[in-house]
Amino acid sequence: MGYHYSCNGLLLLVSVLMVVASSAVGSFYQDFDLTWGDKRAKIFNGGQLLSLSLDRVSGSGFQSKRDYLFGRIDMQLKLVAGDSAGTVTAYYLSSQGPTHDEIDFEFLGNVSGQPYILHTNIFAQGKGNREQQFYLWFDPTRNFHTYSVIWKPQHITFPLECSKMLNLLEFPSLKNQPMKIYSSLWNADDWATRGGLVKTDWTKAPFTAYYRNFRAIPCNNCGSKRSSSSSVSDAQRQWQPRDELDATSRRRLRWVQKYFMIYNYCTDLKRFPQGFLLSADNTS
């Protein structure tokens, strides 16, 4: 039996918090595996810094050693600088299989002097089509910025809203499928920049993105089954009310949505002439 919900019943908050994680962080050696790209993926500075690179031969990627089910996950990224057109830096949580769940950040590169585009999506039971896009209102290549997902049994906070909270009661799988953390840097010049009109300039390669200050805080009072994240970094710390977005953060996210959103699946009548329907049978 399919699940049917209108777009107005969803919130997609993508929490781009430009603050340094204040509590202790783990080591990339401890928390992640470099999964592809040969030596283009590197961990250094004693496990406190990770980089991914892309050249004409290959991109690169990594994934978490553990699965996660509920909590707050922070990662600081510094994206590919200069002419990054054609490149995509993807950072996301995902389960496995044809009915997988997924929470996506994709950063679409651009020519020098033009803003990056943040592309977001959520998959539930293998169905996506919940894309939103924003021009980043800051330069993500000059400094590290923290990108956060707050995942509780009641909702996901993952900034930039349709209207109301993304209610996980509407998506049972998002309450039951633990997810790993993934990231990759790859060439997508067939679509990433101006719909593929601007190609990757390989004379600028290698392209490199940097990661630091990963932090995972489990929601110890969520009352759900434990995933293998029970031993994650900083696991001794209990979930605190301050791990939710405060009023100031919510106002800032509304400001971002108003002035920097360039695509919203909720209002795309060309793709969804009857309005967006979330359905187990929806393959559009």
Side-chain angles (χ1 to χ4, degrees):
M1 181 176 180
Y3 299 99
H4 299 266
Y5 300 95
S6 71
C7 187
N8 288 336
L10 308 179
L11 163 74
L12 195 43
L13 280 181
V14 179
S15 181
V16 183
L17 304 178
M18 292 179 288
V19 295
V20 176
S22 58
S23 59
V25 294
S27 163
F28 281 111
Y29 289 120
Q30 173 187 336
D31 295 320
F32 292 93
D33 291 319
L34 306 180
T35 50
W36 64 284
D38 196 16
K39 296 182 179 180
R40 295 171 184 83
K42 300 177 182 178
I43 298 174
F44 48 103
N45 281 14
Q48 299 305 301
L49 196 63
L50 186 153
S51 67
L52 296 180
S53 290
L54 163 70
D55 58 29
R56 188 184 288 272
V57 176
S58 177
S60 53
F62 65 84
Q63 71 179 50
S64 62
K65 295 179 184 290
R66 304 176 179 92
D67 299 306
Y68 298 86
L69 183 64
F70 305 136
R72 174 171 178 149
I73 295 173
D74 298 331
M75 181 79 82
Q76 289 194 322
L77 280 72
K78 183 162 69 171
L79 300 180
V80 174
D83 187 343
S84 57
T87 70
V88 172
T89 304
Y91 171 62
Y92 59 101
L93 282 74
S94 182
S95 55
Q96 298 298 309
T99 58
H100 76 288
D101 300 332
E102 192 169 317
I103 304 170
D104 289 348
F105 292 95
E106 289 186 301
F107 301 93
L108 312 185
N110 213 330
V111 294
S112 297
Q114 297 298 311
Y116 259 80
I117 291 176
L118 170 61
H119 178 102
T120 67
N121 200 354
I122 274 192
F123 285 74
Q125 290 289 293
K127 304 297 183 183
N129 292 328
R130 299 173 190 87
E131 301 96 340
Q132 295 182 324
Q133 289 189 347
F134 304 80
Y135 284 127
L136 289 182
W137 58 100
F138 56 93
D139 185 346
T141 72
R142 294 188 63 184
N143 299 296
F144 283 91
H145 296 277
T146 303
Y147 301 86
S148 302
V149 173
I150 299 172
W151 181 15
K152 298 187 71 176
Q154 299 81 16
H155 63 262
I156 289 175
T157 305
F158 162 62
L160 316 167
E161 59 183 281
C162 278
S163 58
K164 301 179 181 178
M165 271 293 183
L166 172 60
N167 186 347
L168 297 194
L169 296 176
E170 297 177 347
F171 305 103
S173 63
L174 290 176
K175 298 174 67 176
N176 298 318
Q177 295 196 78
M179 295 191 270
K180 290 185 183 296
I181 300 167
Y182 298 86
S183 190
S184 59
L185 176 56
W186 50 291
N187 179 46
D189 66 3
D190 58 333
W191 67 271
T193 306
R194 295 186 59 200
L197 294 178
V198 182
K199 301 301 182 181
T200 303
D201 183 354
W202 294 110
T203 67
K204 304 294 194 301
F207 305 98
T208 304
Y210 296 91
Y211 303 74
R212 73 179 188 188
N213 286 351
F214 167 70
R215 181 182 67 160
I217 308 169
C219 183
N220 293 327
N221 299 316
C222 285
S224 67
K225 64 182 181 180
R226 281 283 178 262
S227 72
S228 61
S229 65
S230 58
S231 60
V232 297
S233 304
D234 210 20
Q236 293 76 19
R237 182 179 167 215
Q238 297 290 313
W239 185 272
Q240 300 293 333
R242 63 178 173 270
D243 291 313
E244 298 285 7
L245 294 184
D246 58 21
T248 300
S249 296
R250 288 183 178 278
R251 284 195 298 271
R252 183 171 180 82
L253 292 176
R254 288 193 292 269
W255 171 77
V256 170
Q257 183 185 27
K258 181 177 181 179
Y259 293 106
F260 296 94
M261 178 181 281
I262 55 176
Y263 176 78
N264 184 2
Y265 75 99
C266 297
T267 57
D268 189 340
L269 296 180
K270 183 175 181 180
R271 288 179 66 195
F272 308 109
Q274 305 303 318
F276 182 83
L277 285 179
L278 173 63
S279 169
D281 304 317
N282 179 17
T283 57
S284 62

